[in-house]
């Protein structure tokens, strides 16, 4: 389907604004789809941090307004030409000229997020019309874009411009659903009758994610295993029944990696470059990493790195609990992350308690992240659940051995290393517990201690190919099916 026209709606997109993996996907997938011949246009909010980038922008729509129950709300649309596709920024300062994307560490989520992101979704649909881009498929990502599917079904149902548009909703993380008071429906111009269990009501709230799951023609998640997991009560976050009901329309497509950004042979953000054929730069990167975190340069002491949101999902608390045992095994640990205040406080104290053993930065920093991928020996991902997980795929490329819990996309991408056969690309454990993590690390260290096995494992990790090309091809097939049906 080389002539597909796809409209992407995403609340974060690299390199403009990022808090997690969604941004990586929304920045890379359009590039690969366009290489396969599709025309992709991406719509995202014009946040303060996007403005601060001083990009070369063209005004696509100078002045427009949405008719909302609260009166006319003006916005403009700015266009940036990215690598093979256009990005349209929805600009309305009242909503998007703020310090953060979704909320602040101190104050929590912005109280008007329901209105902000419904406005983004509705204005994006109007912007498509405004720039004359009539999509074959509207592809929305996560709850921030999901209200678009309610507008398409209930407000724009008879609109000839969208008559032929199919729709796809991608769940990147089911735990974040966008829950708001029932008054939000009237405020954003959606029918109040949708406040019922079979539509958008969810335990007394309006659930934006339900709009994507219910009203998009197809729904997918970012790994095959996660698409099955979310149909169970354990992972379904209260929506498993609904997802089972929609299972005929639900699939899983593994995220990919943009190796133009994530490749130790070319990466300008890491201390020393290297390749599978010449790994010497990996030692240089390790030295650079240790220096960056103020740790002594002891090349033979293994380092386990983490780059992560500090959230219960990511199992950072499991690492906290296991920390003493991990140090007893002889490892150093380096953590870069932001998030949960309790975890931050625990780690800040632990850093004082274990000087020279624990490196910690509470920050969001791309260069430090790349340095950890390159300079660590192991990469820890003890997630309780993981829709796909990109960090294990990045660390593989950098020859850094993932130690992961067997869940979601982690289970789909990591195969346990078998020393005898020389197969596998990491280490997996089943139980979400400190004991299981430590025992898995013990196995990993046995291999680290045997240079021939370690070299085989390192080569295996670097040989893993999770390029976007394959996944983009799967998305194209899915778009094709959706288009046929619409
Ligand atoms: P999630 O989206 O659930 O946070 P993913 O593994 O899908 O998890 O993606 C996380 C992305 O965010 C990766 O690109 C990772 O490098 C990046 N990241 C997470 N925390 C930080 C941080 N503190 N600094 C820089 N990058 C980070």
């Amino acid at each position: 389907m080389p002539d597909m026209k796809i409209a992407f709606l995403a609340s974060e997109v690299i390199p403009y604004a990022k808090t997690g993996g969604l941004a990586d996907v929304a920045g890379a997938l359009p590039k690969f789809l366009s290489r396969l011949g599709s025309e992709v246009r991406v719509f995202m909010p014009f946040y303060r941090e996007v403005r601060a980038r001083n990009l070369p922008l063209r005004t696509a729509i100078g002045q427009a307004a949405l008719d909302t129950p609260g009166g006319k709300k003006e916005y403009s649309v700015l266009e940036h030409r990215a690598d093979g596709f256009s990005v349209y920024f929805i600009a309305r300062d009242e909503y998007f000229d703020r310090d953060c994307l979704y909320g602040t560490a101190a104050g929590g989520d912005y109280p008007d997020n329901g209105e902000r992101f419904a406005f983004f979704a509705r204005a994006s649909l109007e912007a498509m019309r405004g720039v004359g881009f009539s999509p074959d498929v509207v592809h929305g990502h996560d709850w921030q874009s999901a209200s678009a599917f309610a507008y398409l079904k209930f407000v724009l149902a008879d609109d000839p411009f969208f008559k032929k548009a199919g729709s796809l909703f991608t769940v990147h993380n089911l735990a974040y659903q966008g829950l708001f008071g029932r008054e939000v429906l009237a405020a954003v111009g959606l029918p109040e009758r949708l406040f019922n269990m079979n539509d958008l009501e969810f335990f007394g709230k309006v659930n934006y994610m339900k709009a994507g799951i219910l009203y998009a023609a197809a729904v997918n998640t970012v790994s095959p295993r996660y698409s099955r997991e979310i149909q169970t009560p354990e992972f379904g976050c209260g929506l498993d029944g609904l997802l089972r009901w929609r299972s005929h329309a639900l699939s899983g497509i593994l995220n990919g990696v943009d190796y133009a950004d994530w490749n130790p042979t070319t990466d300008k953000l890491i201390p020393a470059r290297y390749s599978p054929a010449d790994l010497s730069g990996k030692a240089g990167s390790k030295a650079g990493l240790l220096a960056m975190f103020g740790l002594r340069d002891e090349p033979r002491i293994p380092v386990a790195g983490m780059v992560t949101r500090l959230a219960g999902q990511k199992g950072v608390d499991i690492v906290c609990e296991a920390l003493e045992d991990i140090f007893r095994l002889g490892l150093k640990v380096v953590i870069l992350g932001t998030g949960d205040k309790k975890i931050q406080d625990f780690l800040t104290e632990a850093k004082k308690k274990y000087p020279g053993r624990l490196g910690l930065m509470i920050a969001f920093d791309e260069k430090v992240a790349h340095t950890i991928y390159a300079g660590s020996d192991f990469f820890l991902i003890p997630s309780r659940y993981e829709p796909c997980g990109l960090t294990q795929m990045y660390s593989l490329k950098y020859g850094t051995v993932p130690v992961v819990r067997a869940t979601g996309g982690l289970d789909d991408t990591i195969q346990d290393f078998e020393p005898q056969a020389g197969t596998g690309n990491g280490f997996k454990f089943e139980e979400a517990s400190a004991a299981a993590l430590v025992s898995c690390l013990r196995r990993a260290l046995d291999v680290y201690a045997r240079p021939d096995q370690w070299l085989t494992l390192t080569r295996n990790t670097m040989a893993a190919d999770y390029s976007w090309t394959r996944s983009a091809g799967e998305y194209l097939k899915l778009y094709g099916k959706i288009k046929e049906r619409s």
Side-chain angles (χ1 to χ4, degrees):
M1 289 270 174
D3 57 347
M4 294 287 275
K5 289 184 177 175
I6 312 297
F8 255 59
L9 270 66
S11 59
E12 49 184 277
V13 181
I14 54 148
Y16 312 106
K18 163 170 170 175
T19 72
L22 166 60
D24 291 359
V25 175
L29 178 55
K31 178 166 139 184
F32 284 81
L33 288 169
S34 74
R35 282 189 196 158
L36 295 175
S38 290
E39 185 181 355
V40 188
R41 312 243 184 139
V42 176
F43 296 80
M44 74 172 283
F46 192 55
Y47 301 112
R48 183 178 296 170
E49 68 175 87
V50 180
R51 182 193 302 267
R53 288 178 182 274
N54 284 322
L55 299 161
L57 296 172
R58 190 183 75 83
T59 302
I61 302 175
Q63 227 184 9
L66 287 185
D67 266 325
T68 76
K72 273 199 182 319
K73 293 201 168 168
E74 293 186 348
Y75 65 99
S76 59
V77 182
L78 305 165
E79 180 182 356
H80 181 246
R81 189 70 200 155
D83 186 357
F85 60 97
S86 280
V87 180
Y88 294 96
F89 297 105
I90 305 298
R92 178 173 169 83
D93 289 353
E94 179 205 353
Y95 286 145
F96 304 122
D97 185 21
R98 299 191 186 179
D99 284 340
C100 299
L101 274 57
Y102 312 125
T104 58
D109 289 348
Y110 293 127
D112 60 349
N113 275 350
E115 284 170 48
R116 294 173 76 220
F117 288 99
F119 185 90
F120 157 63
R122 181 79 177 87
S124 296
L125 294 169
E126 286 310 318
M128 290 170 209
R129 192 199 311 273
V131 301
F133 183 69
S134 175
D136 293 309
V137 177
V138 175
H139 184 174
H141 299 262
D142 272 353
W143 74 261
Q144 293 90 340
S145 306
S147 60
F149 302 106
Y151 287 118
L152 284 171
K153 188 168 170 81
F154 297 103
V155 179
L156 301 166
D158 300 321
D159 191 315
F161 187 79
F162 291 104
K163 200 96 205 128
K164 288 209 188 117
S167 50
L168 173 64
F169 178 59
T170 300
V171 177
H172 294 257
N173 192 333
L174 191 66
Y176 301 88
Q177 300 177 356
L179 300 179
F180 307 101
R182 70 180 294 173
E183 61 287 349
V184 79
L185 289 174
V188 304
L190 285 171
E192 288 179 73
R193 67 184 150 83
L194 297 183
F195 196 75
N196 77 81
M197 248 176 57
N198 296 322
D199 286 290
L200 300 186
E201 189 199 344
F202 184 74
F203 298 105
K205 298 271 188 193
V206 172
N207 184 323
Y208 275 30
M209 189 164 257
K210 271 183 98 179
I213 296 172
L214 276 168
Y215 309 140
V219 180
N220 81 304
T221 66
V222 288
S223 71
R225 177 160 168 172
Y226 191 61
S227 73
R228 296 189 296 274
E229 285 174 342
I230 58 174
Q231 297 179 54
T232 67
E234 189 187 350
F235 293 96
C237 303
L239 294 174
D240 47 294
L242 179 63
L243 288 157
R244 283 195 299 278
W245 180 68
R246 287 236 66 197
S247 62
H248 60 285
L250 176 64
S251 61
I253 299 179
L254 197 67
N255 283 337
V257 178
D258 186 350
Y259 290 121
D261 292 337
W262 300 98
N263 187 341
T265 315
T266 51
D267 192 337
K268 294 204 171 63
L269 296 176
I270 62 177
R273 281 169 280 290
Y274 55 94
S275 66
D278 177 5
L279 283 165
S280 54
K282 183 144 179 79
S285 285
K286 184 169 177 176
L289 172 68
L290 291 168
M292 187 177 249
F293 279 83
L295 298 173
R296 200 136 43 93
D297 185 12
E298 295 165 301
R300 293 175 60 84
I301 307 269
V303 173
M306 289 185 90
V307 177
T308 183
R309 286 186 290 116
L310 301 176
Q313 174 202 340
K314 299 291 182 182
V316 192
D317 54 308
I318 297 174
V319 175
C320 291
E321 199 188 323
L323 217 44
E324 190 149 343
D325 285 335
I326 295 176
F327 295 140
R328 250 190 236 123
L329 290 176
L331 282 150
K332 288 182 190 179
V333 176
V334 164
I335 301 177
L336 169 69
T338 52
D340 189 293
K341 175 90 170 54
K342 263 204 235 129
I343 303 178
Q344 282 188 29
D345 291 347
F346 179 93
L347 289 171
T348 307
E349 281 308 304
K351 189 179 162 192
K352 289 184 207 147
K353 192 168 161 198
Y354 304 105
R357 286 267 163 205
L358 177 63
L360 176 68
M361 273 193 219
I362 304 292
F364 198 95
D365 190 306
E366 209 61 49
K367 183 177 165 73
V368 178
H370 281 244
T371 305
I372 294 179
Y373 290 115
S376 304
D377 300 293
F378 298 102
F379 199 88
L380 302 185
I381 319 179
S383 301
R384 291 207 157 68
Y385 69 93
E386 195 57 75
C388 175
L390 292 168
T391 61
Q392 81 279 16
M393 299 202 254
Y394 298 156
S395 54
L396 284 173
K397 187 67 180 175
Y398 287 79
T400 298
V401 173
V403 175
V404 308
R405 188 159 169 261
T407 182
L410 296 171
D411 198 38
D412 283 337
T413 51
I414 302 303
Q415 294 82 44
D416 234 332
F417 182 65
E418 298 285 348
Q420 302 312 323
T423 57
N425 59 5
F427 296 94
K428 288 202 271 201
F429 59 98
E430 292 287 334
E431 203 185 274
S433 72
L437 168 64
V438 170
S439 118
C440 187
L441 277 171
R442 215 171 265 129
R443 272 197 300 129
L445 286 169
D446 279 348
V447 173
Y448 183 77
R450 294 180 170 81
D452 53 329
Q453 288 184 6
W454 184 250
L455 187 63
T456 305
L457 173 54
T458 307
R459 293 242 158 90
N460 290 357
T461 64
M462 295 182 89
D465 179 6
Y466 289 109
S467 153
W468 265 114
T469 310
R470 192 188 49 194
S471 302
E474 286 187 49
Y475 272 102
L476 269 188
K477 273 192 223 143
L478 184 53
Y479 295 146
K481 275 195 222 156
I482 294 168
K483 189 181 169 183
E484 263 168 36
R485 275 189 265 134
S486 55

